[in-house]
Structures are given as C-alpha cells and as structure tokens.
Amino acid sequence: MNTLRDTLYFAWTIGTKDILDAVKHKSSRANIMIMVVMVVFFYWFGTLRPFDRNVSVVLYDEGNTRLAFEPVILGDGAKYSFREATSLPEMQRMMAHQNLGLVVPADLDQILSVGGTPLLRGYVFWVDRTKAAEREARYSQAFTEMLGQTVKVAIGPNIVIPQADVDGMPATVAFQMVYFVFSTALLLIPHLMLEEKQTRTLDALLTSPVGSGQVVLGKALAGLFYVLVIGGLAMALFSPYIVHWGLAVATFLGYALLAVALGLLVGSLISSMKQLGFWMVALMLLLVIPPLFYLESNLKAGIRIVLTWLPSSALASLFRYSCSTGATWAQLLPNLAIVTASIGLVFGLVFWRVQRSDR
Amino acid sequence: MQAIVARNLTRDYDGLRAVDGISFAVEPGEIFGFLGPNGAGKTTTIRMLTGQLLPTCGTAEVAGYDIVTERQQLKPRIGVVFESQNLYERMSARENLVFYARLYRCPKTRVDEVLAQVGLTQRARDKVLKYSNGMKQRLLIARALLHNPQVLFLDEPTRGLDPHIAGHIRGIIAGLAKGGMTVFLTTHHMEEADQLSRRVAFFDRGRIVVLDTPARLKAEYGRDDNTTLEDLFVQLTGSDLRRANEEL
C-alpha cells in the first residue's frame, strides 16, 4: 500500500514531467499565450474600458433644488449623463452601473447665488478607492465647467461597496473568471490524459509503482499549473474589485479544482481530438455560458432555479459575493455545497475512469 | 520459488473467452517463449500477469506475488516491454528514462548503465521523435530494465525490426537470462523463440496447446529431423485459419 508520502511523490513526479513538457512544447506554449492574450484583452476591453470617456452620475438632491442636470459633453470630450435617486441608500444602490454618486446639498442654490463655492459629496466605487483624489479633481473641474462657477466635489471616505444582489462589475468580473478558468481547462487539460492514452504511455505508467489515483493526482497538478497561470493572471488583474479576499481565494481554488477535474474527465472519456472538440463545445454551452444569464438580476425565476444547480453558476455567485457586500450565509452556503459536491463528484468520475483502464 | 505460476487463468471480454483456463509455471532465469497466432490471447495473458487486467477467474503469482491481491508489491519486480512503442516522443531518451527512474526510485547512474546496455549512449539526448523503430525498441527495453526487475515481459520485442537490430536485441535478452532474469517472451519469430527459449508454449484460441522445450516438441511432433519450430507452430496452432483455407 502506498503511503501519503509516496502518493505525493508520484503525483509530483508526474506533474512536473507534464509541466516541463508543456513549457518546452511549442503548441502548449502557444495555447498558454493565446489564453494570456485573451485575459489581458478582455480585461482591457471589457473592464478597464480606456476608450470610454462617458461618466454616468446618480444624483441625490438633498434639498430638491431647482437645478436640473442635463446630459452634457464637456470640453475634454467626456459625456456626463444623470439619473436621480430619492435617498442616499437608493443612490448607492443605483450606482451599480454608474461611475459617480453625487449628493447635491440643500443649500446649493443659495451658495451659487451668492457666488460661493458649493461642496458636492461624491461617491465612487470600491474599485476606484485608490483613485479618489484624482477623481475629486476631475469631477470638480467637470462640474465647475457645467455650472459656470467654481464647484468642489469631495469624495474622501465615500467609497461604495457594491451590494451582493445588484448587477454591475462584480458580476462581470465573476463571469470573466468562469470563462477564463474553464476555457483554459478545457483547451489545455484534456490533452494531459488524451496523450497518455493515445500513445499508450498510460499502460507503462500503470505497470510502474504508480497507481491510477496517483496518475490522476499528477495530472491534476499539471492541470493546476495551467489554471493557476491563467486564472492567477485574471485574479491579479481583477484584484482591485475584491472586497473579501478569503472568499475570493477559496472561490478561485474552487474554480481551479473543478476546472481541472472537468478537463481530466474529458481527457479520460475521449480517444481523439475530434471528440475533444465536441466535448469542449458541449461543456462551454452547459457550464460556461449559463452563468452569464444567471448573474443577470432580471432572469426568469424558473430558469434561475435550474441554473442555480450548475457548479459554474455557484462559483460565479461566490466570486461576485467576494467582490461585493451584504451576502448572507444563506446565500453562501448552498453555493459552497454545490461547488464542493461537484468537485468531489467529477474527481470521483475521473478516478473511476482511470481505474477502469487500469484493470 | 517459481518466477511465474498461473493456475486456471481465464479472461472474458464481453462474453468472449480470450484466455481459457491456462496453467503453467516458469522457472527463475528461464526464457519462456509464449507463442501464438494473432488474436490468440497472448497480450491479454501478459496484461493479466503484469497486473494491468483482472482475470475473470483463476490466479497467478509473479515473482512470488499474487497478480490481484499483491499488485503493488508486484509492480517494482517486473519490467514490461509493450507491443506498442509507448514512449514520450517529445522528450529525449534520457529524459524518458530519468522520469521512470524517479518513479522506480532508481539512482540516476542507472540511466547511464541501461543506456549503455542497449547501445544508446551516443543518442541519449536526442528526442525520441527522431529515433528509428529499432532505437525505440531498445529504449523500451532500457526502460524495462531500469529497476533491475526479477521478471521481464517482452511482447513481440523484435517485431518490424531489421535482422541486425533484431539480432542485437536477442543478444540483450540472452544476456539478461544469463544474469538470472526470468524472461516471458511472446514473438512471431519462431527461429528467435527456438534460439532463445528454454521452453515454449504454443497458445491458440486462449488455450495452451503444447508446452515443452523446443527440442522435445520437435522430437514428439516433428515429421522428420528437419522439422523446425515454425513447422510445428503451423501444424499445432491456427486451426481456425486452416479450416477456413480448407473450405476455400
């Protein structure tokens, strides 16, 4: 009987062999680079949006002033549009898709009429917390231009953490994590098993002192390498959005383990590249696309109930909660249970498949 | 203690009996030729004896270990040269062997020893992709010898090789047996089996038809003094094929 130490040794030996092989092999390197470019591109295009000069503002007018803010394009080309909230909490909630929350003081009209400098309280998202000073200057300048006299926008500690149940960037980030991690796993990991089967090197491995479980663990280790490189890059890029690091890291680990298990399961089920293509499309449709809809708040209840059971939906929810506030244990625990059970089930299936080829 | 003992070893695949209750024993240091036509069940037998496949019924012990219940103890004591050239082709010969040396926990010096033993030292750093069939076959043997197994299973080790390389490999096999290693050999080259094996078993449709030394088999079943092992093989095995020919 192999001890735990033996198991870890064999898994490490097989895993490092595969990782070195991937690093040396041109097509593996090219696949990793494709995924890296994809992550960086989606982050730049979908999250940073450097070309987007529009500023959406949610106003809460404390004194119901006579001032009406209309959409305006300023001298620097930035377009400002406005929506109105009836209370401060509503303003914070409505900020889901907006850049700036602005509290208009009750005495704004009076201050403006005497030529004073009104102070508008600005609110920005958690992700912009490090840019508060820069935003203060930018918005002060913008509203000075809009109102034709000096205005000061003060942000200070007014940082809004997104609510767990509203749409917005946390949902976008959570979906992108699902997409990157699962795409990486499905693109790269099945080859680890498929090649061993196609070249029959799996037979040689299984007549060596290595057991089938240790082969799976070794492959999982190599798979984790891919997922940690790509998912780790995505996680690093999205780190400014993360509010609860413990939950975020645990969820990332969940993403990684489930993705690796799925990649290995596909690799153990298929015997050709053609079959791999079919499985990739099927799993992308079944697991990767649904969270996109699941994270939308206006999804029909019936569809939501079905999608709730998907581990990828559960993972996306958990990652969204790690980038927001207000999630309860009642929201967290079912998702954690679905993810944990799915990881166990899929790894169990992989062990079973490899054990069958073993005997 | 015998190196291999099989008792009523049987394996069914989807209702078809691939190996049908075979029993035999192989002595330590013996080269045992296991000869049969294509599809007779040779590879299935090897897969059972090496612990890759569970027997449907019957038992076997290899190097003193039960192939079902003591598989983990059995594995370090056997070496297998598979019918397919199952090597990591993107890796060099040396990298292949270093990887397996780590799995068998052999010292790295052993890699150089086996490379020298099969004559691949000069090309050890080349990728296996660039190897000829003969070189790959020698590398497979080197891999199987890394951990100095008590019993070596060779599944058609000279198939498709030119006579020079085949002769070189036969030399290696003979040398191993002289050193005390037990060799279980399947081959379609009857001359090779005759030259190397102390005893041979003719195997057909999952059963052992005859088992003895080549000399005794020729004496008992041969038509004259010039009868070769190949003549006997054709005479005693392949009944299905003969029947089909007669019908034609």
Side-chain angles (χ1 to χ4, degrees):
Chain A
M1 197 67 190
N2 278 317
T3 62
L4 177 65
R5 204 172 155 175
D6 289 332
T7 297
L8 294 176
Y9 173 80
F10 289 135
W12 177 253
T13 304
I14 293 169
T16 48
K17 185 267 292 176
D18 283 339
I19 292 168
L20 284 175
D21 188 40
V23 171
K24 286 182 184 172
H25 189 38
K26 263 188 208 161
S27 76
S28 305
R29 280 203 312 261
N31 283 336
I32 292 173
M33 280 314 296
I34 288 169
M35 288 308 302
V36 167
V37 169
M38 202 194 286
V39 170
V40 173
F41 175 76
F42 273 90
Y43 171 71
W44 182 80
F45 189 79
T47 313
L48 270 189
R49 302 171 67 86
F51 49 83
D52 187 0
R53 301 184 60 78
N54 295 344
V55 178
S56 305
V57 185
V58 183
L59 284 174
Y60 166 49
D61 192 344
E62 280 181 324
N64 208 8
T65 60
R66 281 173 296 159
L67 206 64
F69 285 96
E70 297 294 333
V72 60
I73 299 174
L74 299 181
D76 62 357
K79 182 182 175 187
Y80 280 71
S81 53
F82 301 90
R83 293 169 70 202
E84 204 158 336
T86 55
S87 67
L88 187 62
E90 191 193 47
M91 184 201 82
Q92 292 182 341
R93 203 174 165 74
M94 280 171 69
M95 279 178 68
H97 288 298
Q98 318 301 318
N99 309 94
L100 175 67
L102 201 65
V103 177
V104 178
D107 55 354
L108 179 72
D109 292 340
Q110 290 165 286
I111 298 171
L112 286 175
S113 64
V114 298
T117 302
L119 186 73
L120 309 183
R121 288 200 328 268
Y123 287 75
V124 292
F125 265 129
W126 170 257
V127 68
D128 293 325
R129 63 196 178 280
T130 56
K131 299 171 198 156
E134 178 251 319
R135 294 291 161 97
E136 271 181 359
R138 180 180 161 195
Y139 294 140
S140 294
Q141 194 181 351
F143 282 93
T144 298
E145 188 179 334
M146 267 183 255
L147 297 172
Q149 75 187 74
T150 307
V151 170
K152 185 163 171 50
V153 175
I155 293 171
N158 300 335
I159 306 296
V160 177
I161 299 177
Q163 290 294 310
D165 56 347
V166 297
D167 298 335
M169 280 316 286
T172 306
V173 165
F175 173 71
Q176 287 198 20
M177 283 298 290
V178 169
Y179 181 73
F180 294 141
V181 172
F182 283 80
S183 305
T184 303
L186 293 174
L187 184 70
L188 299 171
I189 296 174
H191 295 279
L192 295 171
M193 277 290 181
L194 182 61
E195 279 191 9
E196 296 277 8
K197 285 197 318 187
Q198 281 184 327
T199 57
R200 305 207 71 129
T201 42
L202 187 60
D203 292 344
L205 274 181
L206 293 174
T207 51
S208 78
V210 182
S212 50
Q214 289 150 346
V215 172
V216 173
L217 280 182
K219 298 290 168 189
L221 190 71
L224 264 181
F225 164 76
Y226 291 126
V227 170
L228 291 180
V229 168
I230 307 300
L233 173 67
M235 183 93 166
L237 291 174
F238 293 139
S239 62
Y241 292 91
I242 295 169
V243 180
H244 305 291
W245 271 97
L247 181 60
V249 171
T251 307
F252 178 50
L253 200 64
Y255 275 118
L257 289 176
L258 184 64
V260 167
L262 279 170
L264 292 179
L265 180 64
V266 171
S268 68
L269 288 172
I270 60 174
S271 52
S272 68
M273 290 297 288
K274 201 173 160 185
Q275 289 174 333
L276 176 60
F278 166 79
W279 275 97
M280 271 187 72
V281 172
L283 283 173
M284 289 296 272
L285 289 175
L286 278 173
L287 278 176
V288 181
I289 305 301
L292 184 63
F293 302 104
Y294 182 73
L295 293 167
E296 286 287 326
S297 57
N298 55 0
L299 183 71
K300 282 185 181 168
I303 301 173
R304 178 171 297 281
I305 289 169
V306 174
L307 297 188
T308 298
W309 291 97
L310 284 181
S312 50
S313 297
L315 279 166
S317 293
L318 288 170
F319 204 80
R320 181 163 76 167
Y321 297 150
S322 72
C323 297
S324 56
T325 187
T328 61
W329 282 108
Q331 286 173 302
L332 292 172
L333 288 177
N335 288 311
L336 284 169
I338 290 170
V339 171
T340 310
S342 306
I343 293 169
L345 177 72
V346 181
F347 264 116
L349 283 171
V350 181
F351 279 114
W352 173 73
R353 279 293 303 178
V354 176
Q355 209 147 27
R356 267 191 58 185
S357 68
D358 192 5
R359 306 313 296 261
Chain B
M1 186 187 69
Q2 282 155 322
I4 304 173
V5 185
R7 299 183 196 92
N8 193 32
L9 204 58
T10 304
R11 173 73 196 200
D12 294 340
Y13 284 116
D14 303 324
L16 278 176
R17 185 143 288 189
V19 177
D20 191 2
I22 58 172
S23 299
F24 62 92
V26 180
E27 297 299 323
E30 177 179 0
I31 299 180
F32 184 79
F34 197 64
L35 315 174
N38 289 331
K42 301 187 297 291
T43 301
T44 301
T45 305
I46 288 191
R47 283 174 63 83
M48 283 192 285
L49 292 174
T50 54
Q52 296 174 72
L53 204 61
L54 285 171
T56 307
C57 65
T59 59
E61 282 155 32
V62 176
Y65 293 97
D66 189 280
I67 58 166
V68 177
T69 59
E70 295 171 307
R71 201 164 68 114
Q72 218 42 48
Q73 293 95 316
L74 166 70
K75 282 173 158 192
R77 288 165 179 87
I78 58 169
V80 188
V81 174
F82 295 86
E83 195 180 357
S84 57
Q85 293 183 324
N86 52 358
L87 295 157
Y88 296 110
E89 301 229 333
R90 289 196 298 268
M91 289 161 61
S92 71
R94 199 182 158 70
E95 286 166 340
N96 266 274
L97 294 178
V98 167
F99 170 62
Y100 278 94
R102 287 177 69 195
L103 295 183
Y104 284 101
R105 298 174 199 254
C106 306
K108 274 192 184 171
T109 50
R110 185 73 190 131
V111 170
D112 297 320
E113 285 172 22
V114 292
L115 280 168
Q117 201 172 350
V118 298
L120 284 176
T121 304
Q122 299 300 318
R123 301 285 304 272
R125 293 188 189 278
D126 290 359
K127 284 189 178 174
V128 175
L129 208 63
K130 295 177 185 168
Y131 273 24
S132 66
N133 273 344
M135 290 165 76
K136 285 179 186 171
Q137 207 61 33
R138 281 187 279 161
L139 182 58
L140 284 169
I141 293 174
R143 185 179 72 187
L145 297 177
L146 262 177
H147 54 295
N148 219 353
Q150 289 175 40
V151 183
L152 180 65
F153 291 89
L154 300 169
D155 198 353
E156 301 188 28
T158 56
R159 191 174 67 156
L161 301 183
D162 70 51
H164 293 101
I165 303 291
H168 178 70
I169 286 175
R170 278 179 212 128
I172 294 171
I173 297 169
L176 293 169
K178 267 185 200 154
M181 195 177 286
T182 308
V183 179
F184 187 93
L185 171 74
T186 78
T187 179
H188 286 302
H189 295 284
M190 293 303 129
E191 202 183 321
E192 176 177 287
D194 196 357
Q195 181 192 333
L196 288 173
S197 310
R198 190 188 299 167
R199 290 183 306 149
V200 295
F202 284 173
F203 188 65
D204 193 19
R205 293 198 295 168
R207 288 165 181 260
I208 291 177
V209 182
V210 289
L211 190 163
D212 213 328
T213 62
R216 283 204 211 116
L217 287 177
K218 284 176 205 169
E220 190 168 341
Y221 297 100
R223 290 186 180 120
D224 52 48
D225 289 348
N226 296 326
T227 302
T228 62
L229 202 59
E230 187 163 341
D231 295 332
L232 288 182
F233 182 77
V234 172
Q235 182 187 323
L236 296 170
T237 65
S239 50
D240 287 346
L241 203 60
R242 272 201 308 279
R243 204 175 303 125
N245 280 338
E246 281 162 14
E247 280 170 14
L248 279 172

